Amino acid sequence: MSEQIDWYAIRDRAKEWILDAGEQLKEALKSTLQVETKSSPDDLVTNMDRQIEEFFIQHIRESFPGHYIISEEGYGDKLSELKGIIWMIDPIDGTMNFVHQKRHFSISIGVYENGVGRVGLILDVMNGDLYHCVKGSGAFQNDSKLPPLTETSLNEAVISINATWLNQNRRIDPDIVRPIARQCRGTRSYGSAAIELAYVACGALDLYWSMRLAPWDIGAGLILVEEVGGAATRVDGSPINLLKQNSLLVGNPSVHQTVSNHIQQEIESGKFVEQYE
């Protein structure tokens, strides 16, 4: 099937749309946003989340009528399998940052064929950095090709992890996380999974660790990280399920292995890590 598909043409079309959407978001910041909450006070949605998602869906339906869409705000398809060509769209990844900080938010587009990542794009809107790839051709930051990730040790690694997982929570025993935070060179948290995955791909981060992400959060980033030789699993070491919520451990293979080994030992000792089925 893939031999008949021009993935570069799909990448180019998606690039045109994502840059257009980025300009729409920058323009929207000049006016008053309509902000609502969804599942909790920190789960925000704006009029622009919906507008940008509808923008993408309209263009995808018109240009690629046989393709499917998984998207955050629910305007896409309800899928039970990864069959066919599927676009995973996050119109604003980091909505809280969009509302409060006016920076560190992104747009994420991942295109999959029968579960295999083919095209990935992440736009760091305010920095103007576009991370993109077509499977098998390497990953790029704007026009610069990203080098393969190189091995490093945990004590030289910068990792991204939200402080939520270092304190008491219902998804992971924080005693699993704290030794890693102590041993690494430094920790960061940017509030946008897509940006953090892009930073892993370009080597600015050596590891990204999160306990709950949706397919649209990670769809593009996983393809980028794979193109530079990164490793990605759920936190318990099991495979990622792109139709479900996932915990995520992704990064430089050597650091990923070190941290994964530590987590497995802690799980075997009886410490709690939430499972996703």
Side-chain angles (χ1 to χ4, degrees):
M1 180 178 180
S2 60
E3 289 77 16
Q4 286 79 43
I5 299 169
D6 188 342
W7 297 107
Y8 295 94
I10 290 176
R11 188 273 316 274
D12 291 345
R13 190 68 61 88
K15 181 177 179 180
E16 174 187 328
W17 298 337
I18 204 171
L19 292 173
D20 187 336
E23 291 303 313
Q24 292 182 49
L25 291 179
K26 287 192 283 188
E27 190 65 26
L29 289 175
K30 299 175 183 178
S31 58
T32 302
L33 298 170
Q34 300 170 26
V35 183
E36 303 171 20
T37 60
K38 294 192 284 188
S39 62
S40 65
D42 61 354
D43 186 10
L44 304 182
V45 63
T46 71
N47 57 305
M48 293 308 299
D49 292 83
R50 297 186 176 110
Q51 178 178 311
I52 297 300
E53 183 164 312
E54 290 177 326
F55 167 81
F56 282 124
I57 288 177
Q58 178 184 345
H59 282 293
I60 295 166
R61 299 286 193 220
E62 290 174 352
S63 299
F64 307 106
H67 294 189
Y68 301 101
I69 302 166
I70 295 175
S71 52
E72 181 169 16
E73 304 310 327
Y75 298 117
D77 301 298
K78 306 299 182 186
L79 302 179
S80 59
E81 58 181 356
L82 293 172
K83 186 176 180 180
I85 298 177
I86 301 171
W87 294 62
M88 297 186 184
I89 306 290
D90 196 338
I92 306 177
D93 187 56
T95 300
M96 188 182 297
N97 292 351
F98 177 62
V99 171
H100 288 277
Q101 298 181 326
K102 312 295 190 279
R103 67 194 68 201
H104 299 313
F105 60 91
S106 61
I107 305 170
S108 178
I109 301 174
V111 186
Y112 285 74
E113 180 194 29
N114 298 324
V116 176
R118 297 294 183 182
V119 175
L121 303 98
I122 295 170
L123 178 64
D124 183 341
V125 175
M126 300 310 288
N127 278 344
D129 285 323
L130 178 62
Y131 302 85
H132 57 95
C133 67
V134 174
K135 181 177 175 60
S137 299
F140 294 79
Q141 180 180 357
N142 300 317
D143 295 326
S144 300
K145 189 171 184 177
L146 299 175
L149 299 179
T150 56
E151 291 190 2
T152 191
S153 60
L154 180 59
N155 63 7
E156 295 177 321
V158 178
I159 71 173
S160 180
I161 187 162
N162 192 294
T164 300
W165 315 125
L166 293 162
N167 299 306
Q168 202 64 39
N169 67 88
R170 65 186 181 88
R171 304 199 186 281
I172 189 169
D173 188 330
D175 286 339
I176 296 176
V177 186
R178 289 172 185 147
I180 298 300
R182 285 195 297 267
Q183 291 175 49
C184 72
R185 176 166 281 174
T187 61
R188 299 291 184 268
S189 182
Y190 296 94
S192 166
I195 286 177
E196 286 161 307
L197 285 164
Y199 284 2
V200 169
C202 73
L205 290 171
D206 298 294
L207 188 82
Y208 174 47
W209 180 340
S210 183
M211 289 306 300
R212 192 171 182 86
L213 294 170
W216 47 81
D217 295 318
I218 63 178
L222 291 177
I223 308 171
L224 285 162
V225 170
E226 181 181 9
E227 279 300 296
V228 293
T233 61
R234 293 193 285 189
V235 166
D236 64 1
S238 61
I240 295 162
N241 184 339
L242 285 170
L243 291 172
K244 304 284 187 179
Q245 295 274 355
N246 293 271
S247 62
L248 187 67
L249 190 71
V250 58
N252 179 302
S254 55
V255 177
H256 180 279
Q257 187 65 58
T258 298
V259 175
S260 183
N261 289 344
H262 164 77
I263 295 169
Q264 290 302 320
Q265 291 172 4
E266 296 293 85
I267 290 173
E268 290 171 6
S269 74
K271 289 190 172 69
F272 171 71
V273 175
E274 184 176 27
Q275 303 294 317
Y276 293 87
E277 300 299 335

